[in-house]
Amino acid sequence: MSNQTCSIGGCTFRVYAPAGTGSLCKEHFLSFVTWRRRKGPAMFGKYGAMTMEERDTILAEWHKTLQSEE
C-alpha cells in the first residue's frame, strides 16, 4: 500500500484513485467524477480516450472550481 497523499493541497488522506498524472483521495475523486458527470455524458467517453497530459488539463479545470469554493 502506498503512503502517498492526495494531490490536492492541504489534503492528508491517502491516495484512492488516479486523476491525470496525479492521484486523489476517495472524497476528492468522487467530487471529480461528479463534476465530470455534470459536464455532460460525453465527458466520460472523451476522458477515457485522453492522454495523461490532456487529463491533467481537465483536472486543473476542476481544481480551479475547488479553489473558488474555499
Side-chain angles (χ1 to χ4, degrees):
M1 198 61 142
S2 173
N3 291 341
Q4 185 181 9
T5 59
C6 183
S7 61
I8 301 301
C11 183
T12 58
F13 292 112
R14 288 193 344 205
V15 166
Y16 174 75
T21 55
S23 298
L24 300 173
C25 66
K26 187 173 185 177
E27 181 181 334
H28 284 119
F29 178 73
L30 293 176
S31 172
F32 179 55
V33 171
T34 301
W35 177 82
R36 281 185 8 217
R37 185 178 298 132
R38 288 185 186 144
K39 294 205 45 98
M43 176 55 88
F44 275 84
K46 179 181 174 184
Y47 188 82
M50 289 178 166
T51 65
M52 293 307 259
E53 290 77 22
E54 291 169 327
R55 289 181 181 194
D56 284 343
T57 304
I58 299 298
L59 184 66
E61 185 180 334
W62 168 74
H63 193 264
K64 288 178 188 175
T65 67
L66 289 180
Q67 292 174 341
S68 66
E69 291 174 3
E70 295 174 345

